[in-house]
């Protein structure tokens, strides 16, 4: 008979809450420092924003220890408070890591 | 440990200790790896957590985790090693069974604190090994495959375990015990039979220790995996020791125990092919929720509890992205008065709270017993994927969508603001238990 392997050692499920605490711990532990933005990448973002004509974009940004991505049309570029708005989400300039034009919005 | 031919040691700085590069470095430096498993257990975990936060020594402090304001029959969840050794108090007992101990400290249990500390212990394990080589077995016990890391840390398994134990003691003030072995089973038995018993709380067993350390263990129920029923069954066929089990005829064991016969023999021989890296994810086939009622509830009043439990379990069902097509209710009347349990198949799978409550209520009302209730539980079985949902012919689409939206909105509110953020008005009734239940974890205070 084949050994049942780790099936024999299935964890106790008596406390469902333990899984939530472990997930929260793993989430905290996986957090990274904000990547440094090169001057080339910063000027590339700047150029795209300066020439922006309502195309769909893909934005990479840093939030709470993780690099995220959001696609959509930039609804607002606010130079005074230094943020852009994509699909209702406000992304501050200082957290932007990259911006790519995906194409014209249909 | 043997080095793999043609694999030069590659130096990759371990920037991300729990991540891929860390693991790769360890694996490449280790070459062909032998399995070295450590079973690490937190001593008298809940009581130790309470001692740690009071800066008290678990070996000299009389402390129990037990709510002194609940009934004398309330459970002592954990006692310090001092109490176990000096007064023979078992780790779990009832408050009324405690002997008179001068200066005994009662620490009111608080599960969220214990679970937070438990996850911090796991976080320390992950400072040393990758998550692939870690198996969290329970709130206070984990298995680590140290094999791939011994070359990286340039030490033997005992030294690595000592470092991990030291880190847990320094950072969290918790004492751990460990068993080391060539497989999960022998590590676990080394922990239980030797590691837990005396300082330095580390025991290392190997295959050659099987005849001298494993086989003399008696009764055989002391080892993991052999329960009382199995032991009696083995005795009936003339097997009373682990040595006799290790030498038993394969055919006889298969005839008596079916597929488990070989597993029993493997354990007695100290064999276990479990590989921590091959994670086993059990399919969740049912969800259940139960509670012991603190007083007698008449059947009509108990419907309120049934309603509240349905709300909670339906929320869990939707969080698990599942539907159920089989429900069950159990009731207990306390003492010797017996119990009631009945189940019902649903015509279509659902995750709708109201539909589930109607079905549960129908089953609940089948109970015609005159006795009041002291316990109530519900089960959602035969879980399925929402992608397979059938459309009800009896409920108009609009109403179905409205109910789905309502459930989704309620789930979103409770996920964001807590379980007590939105409750039925009936939660204000005297018989309601939902608010208190939401402030507990596993039936104990948070």
């Amino acid at each position: 008979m084949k050994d049942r392997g780790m099936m024999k050692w299935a964890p106790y499920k008596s406390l469902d809450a333990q899984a939530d605490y472990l997930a929260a711990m793993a989430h905290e532990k996986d957090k990274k420092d904000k990547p440094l933005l090169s001057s080339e990448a910063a000027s590339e973002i700047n150029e795209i924003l300066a020439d922006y004509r309502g195309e769909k974009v893909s934005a990479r940004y840093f939030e709470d220890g993780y690099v995220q991505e959001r696609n959509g049309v930039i609804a607002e570029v606010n130079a005074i408070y230094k943020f852009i708005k994509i699909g209702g989400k406000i992304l501050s300039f200082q957290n932007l890591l990259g911006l790519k034009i995906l194409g014209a919005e249909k | 440990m043997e080095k793999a031919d043609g694999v030069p040691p590659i130096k990759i700085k371990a920037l991300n200790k729990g991540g891929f590069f860390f693991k790769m470095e360890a694996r490449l430096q280790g070459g062909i790896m032998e399995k070295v498993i450590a079973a690490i257990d937190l001593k008298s975990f809940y009581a130790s957590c309470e001692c740690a936060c009071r800066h008290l020594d678990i070996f000299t402090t009389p402390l129990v985790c037990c709510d002194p304001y609940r009934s004398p029959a309330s459970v002592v969840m954990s006692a310090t090693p001092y109490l176990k050794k000096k007064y023979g108090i078992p780790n779990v007992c009832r408050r009324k069974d405690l002997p008179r101990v001068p200066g005994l400290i009662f620490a009111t249990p608080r599960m969220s604190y214990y679970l937070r500390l438990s996850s911090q212990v796991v976080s320390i394990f992950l400072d040393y090994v990758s998550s692939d080589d870690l198996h969290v077995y329970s709130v206070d016990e984990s298995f680590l495959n140290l094999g791939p890391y011994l070359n990286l840390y340039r030490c033997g398994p005992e030294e690595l375990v000592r470092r991990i134990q030291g880190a847990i003691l320094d950072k969290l003030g918790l004492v751990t015990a460990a068993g080391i072995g060539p497989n999960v089973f022998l590590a676990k038995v080394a922990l239980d039979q030797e590691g837990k018993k005396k300082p330095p709380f580390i025991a290392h067993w190997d295959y050659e220790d099987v005849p001298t350390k494993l086989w003399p263990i008696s009764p055989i129920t002391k080892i993991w995996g052999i329960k009382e029923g199995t032991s009696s069954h083995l005795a009936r066929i003339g097997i009373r020791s682990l040595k006799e089990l290790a030498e038993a005829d394969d055919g006889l064991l298969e005839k008596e125990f079916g597929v488990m016969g070989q597993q029993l023999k493997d354990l007695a021989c100290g064999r276990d092919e479990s590989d921590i890296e091959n994670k086993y994810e059990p399919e969740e086939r049912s969800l259940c929720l139960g509670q012991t009622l603190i007083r007698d509830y008449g059947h009509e009043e108990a419907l309120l509890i049934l309603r509240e439990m349905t709300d909670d379990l339906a929320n869990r069902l939707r969080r698990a992205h599942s539907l159920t097509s089989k429900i069950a209710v159990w009731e207990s009347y306390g003492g010797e008065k017996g119990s009631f349990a009945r189940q019902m198949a649903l015509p279509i799978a659902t995750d709708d709270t109201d539909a589930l409550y109607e079905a549960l209520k129908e089953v609940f009302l089948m109970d015609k017993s005159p006795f009041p209730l002291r316990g109530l539980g519900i089960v959602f079985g035969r879980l399925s994927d929402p992608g397979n949902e059938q459309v009800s012919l009896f409920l108009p689409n609009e109403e179905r969508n409205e109910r789905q939206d309502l459930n989704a909105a309620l789930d979103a509110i409770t996920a964001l603001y807590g379980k007590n953020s939105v409750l039925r008005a009936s939660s204000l009734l005297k018989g309601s238990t939902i608010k208190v239940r939401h402030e507990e974890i596993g039936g104990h205070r948070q």
Side-chain angles (χ1 to χ4, degrees):
Chain A
M1 177 219 168
K2 202 176 165 294
D3 191 294
R4 293 192 304 140
M6 288 309 287
M7 196 189 285
K8 293 199 291 281
W9 301 98
Y12 289 104
K13 287 281 285 176
S14 53
L15 279 177
D16 287 321
Q18 190 190 2
D20 296 340
Y21 279 82
L22 287 175
M25 178 276 294
H27 181 79
E28 280 301 309
K29 206 173 176 68
D30 282 347
K31 283 184 180 178
K32 305 281 187 298
D33 292 335
K34 191 169 117 179
L36 290 172
L37 193 64
S38 67
S39 54
E40 290 83 11
S43 55
E44 201 177 310
I45 292 171
N46 196 37
E47 274 172 32
I48 290 174
L49 291 178
D51 295 340
Y52 186 65
R53 298 282 181 276
E55 305 95 331
K56 196 172 175 187
V57 297
S58 172
R60 275 178 68 246
Y61 61 98
F62 183 78
E63 188 175 67
D64 193 25
Y66 288 87
V67 175
Q68 314 276 10
E69 202 168 305
R70 198 172 185 92
N71 295 343
V73 173
I74 300 176
E76 185 182 347
V77 179
N78 192 316
I80 298 167
Y81 292 107
K82 298 187 183 348
F83 70 80
I84 60 171
K85 204 169 175 182
I86 301 177
K89 175 95 182 163
I90 290 174
L91 307 175
S92 80
F93 286 173
Q94 62 174 3
N95 286 336
L96 267 182
L97 301 174
L99 205 56
K100 207 164 59 183
I101 301 281
L102 293 177
E105 174 67 354
K106 284 173 189 171
Chain B
M1 193 177 290
E2 202 180 323
K3 202 91 182 165
D5 287 340
V7 181
I10 296 174
K11 294 277 178 196
I12 302 167
K13 202 176 173 197
L15 288 174
N16 173 15
K17 281 193 158 187
F20 177 73
F21 290 121
F22 175 62
K23 179 82 180 291
M24 279 306 291
E25 179 184 38
R27 298 244 144 169
L28 290 169
Q29 289 195 354
I32 294 169
M33 287 157 299
E34 61 186 64
K35 230 191 275 179
V36 183
I37 306 294
I40 300 183
D41 171 273
L42 293 149
K43 280 194 80 65
S44 310
F45 178 51
Y46 301 137
S48 292
C49 292
E50 294 296 345
C51 284
C53 78
R54 293 168 169 84
H55 304 286
L56 295 172
D57 182 351
I58 57 169
F59 299 108
T60 55
T61 304
L63 181 144
V64 288
C65 289
C66 177
D67 191 342
Y69 301 107
R70 285 197 180 180
S71 83
S74 62
V75 170
V76 173
M77 284 174 69
S78 177
T80 51
Y82 170 78
L83 287 172
K84 291 181 204 169
K85 197 172 173 188
K86 186 154 185 192
Y87 295 91
I89 295 174
N91 195 30
V92 178
C93 62
R94 297 198 177 271
R95 184 158 68 88
K96 63 182 179 187
D97 301 327
L98 287 173
R100 288 180 75 83
V101 177
L104 180 61
I105 301 168
F106 282 89
T108 302
R110 38 185 177 154
M111 288 306 291
S112 62
Y113 169 60
Y114 307 146
L115 293 176
R116 203 168 59 246
L117 273 191
S118 166
S119 70
Q120 284 170 10
V121 171
V122 174
S123 173
I124 291 174
F125 292 149
L126 291 172
D127 288 340
Y128 290 86
V129 302
S130 146
S131 57
D132 286 348
D133 291 310
L134 171 69
H135 177 64
V136 179
Y137 186 47
S138 69
V139 74
D140 59 357
E141 199 167 335
S142 295
F143 299 110
L144 291 75
N145 181 13
L146 304 180
Y149 304 93
L150 298 178
N151 271 12
L152 179 77
Y153 294 114
R154 299 181 193 286
C155 64
E158 286 96 342
E159 174 55 26
L160 184 49
V161 166
R162 258 193 294 275
R163 287 185 200 175
I164 297 171
Q165 287 180 307
I168 294 169
L169 186 62
D170 289 347
K171 291 183 186 168
L172 305 172
L174 297 172
V175 179
T176 49
I180 301 168
N183 59 49
V184 178
F185 172 72
L186 278 182
K188 169 76 173 148
V189 183
L191 165 72
D192 292 341
Q193 299 300 318
E194 196 182 325
K196 279 181 183 178
K197 294 190 175 160
K198 56 179 192 295
F201 300 118
I202 299 181
H204 191 168
W205 288 17
D206 226 318
Y207 287 115
E208 58 258 30
D209 294 315
V210 168
T212 54
K213 291 185 172 177
L214 181 66
W215 287 353
I217 295 171
S218 178
I220 60 173
T221 47
K222 273 191 183 172
I223 70 156
W224 179 92
I226 300 186
K227 298 256 165 46
E228 205 59 58
T230 309
S231 166
S232 311
H233 191 162
L234 285 167
R236 284 200 298 276
I237 56 171
I239 297 172
R240 289 184 172 78
S241 72
L242 290 169
K243 183 171 188 281
E244 286 170 352
L245 179 57
E247 290 166 351
D249 178 64
D250 288 356
L252 173 69
L253 289 174
E254 193 180 338
K255 183 173 152 248
E256 294 290 329
F257 294 95
V259 290
M260 294 303 289
Q262 188 60 48
Q263 181 178 307
L264 287 170
K265 182 163 178 163
D266 283 345
L267 294 185
C269 295
R271 286 193 298 253
D272 179 8
E273 288 176 24
S274 307
D275 188 348
I276 288 179
E277 214 172 2
N278 295 335
K279 308 283 183 209
Y280 167 65
E281 303 271 345
E283 249 183 70
E284 197 153 36
R285 279 166 293 188
S286 67
L287 289 175
C288 59
L289 186 61
Q291 65 176 293
T292 304
L293 300 167
I294 52 165
R295 61 169 172 83
D296 287 348
Y297 273 70
H299 285 236
E300 203 173 320
E301 192 182 17
L303 276 174
L304 167 65
I305 306 291
L306 186 75
R307 185 47 139 159
E308 292 178 340
M309 289 168 79
T310 311
D311 288 344
D312 278 352
L313 200 60
N315 171 275
R316 260 174 66 192
L317 181 71
R318 291 188 294 270
R319 279 198 291 139
H321 305 290
S322 297
L323 305 172
T324 175
S325 55
K326 193 176 192 176
I327 54 102
V329 176
W330 62 260
E331 301 163 25
S332 68
Y333 311 122
E336 303 293 309
K337 299 191 196 89
S339 59
F340 165 90
R342 202 62 62 87
Q343 61 183 33
M344 185 168 91
L346 304 178
I348 51 167
T350 182
D351 62 3
D352 176 54
T353 308
D354 287 344
L356 290 165
Y357 176 65
E358 288 309 318
L360 288 163
K361 188 176 160 189
E362 194 180 325
V363 176
F364 178 87
L365 294 175
M366 288 176 192
D367 177 21
K368 305 292 179 201
S369 154
F371 301 120
L373 305 188
R374 289 305 295 264
L376 183 61
I378 57 174
V379 184
F380 295 163
R382 217 187 281 154
L383 301 189
S384 60
D385 191 79
N388 305 327
E389 187 181 10
Q390 287 175 288
V391 177
S392 168
L393 299 173
F394 306 102
L395 205 58
N397 262 352
E398 264 177 37
E399 195 181 330
R400 213 171 116 252
N401 292 341
E402 265 178 28
R403 282 194 190 185
Q404 274 179 351
D405 291 347
L406 176 64
N407 288 329
L410 292 171
D411 294 345
I413 293 169
T414 51
L416 200 56
Y417 300 106
K419 288 179 182 172
N420 276 343
S421 56
V422 52
L423 296 171
R424 291 177 189 275
S426 57
S427 66
L428 298 170
L429 291 169
K430 211 174 89 189
S432 167
T433 60
I434 195 160
K435 275 193 229 164
V436 177
R437 297 284 302 173
H438 283 169
E439 283 159 8
E440 294 177 333
I441 297 176
H444 302 285
R445 285 188 192 178
Q446 288 195 21

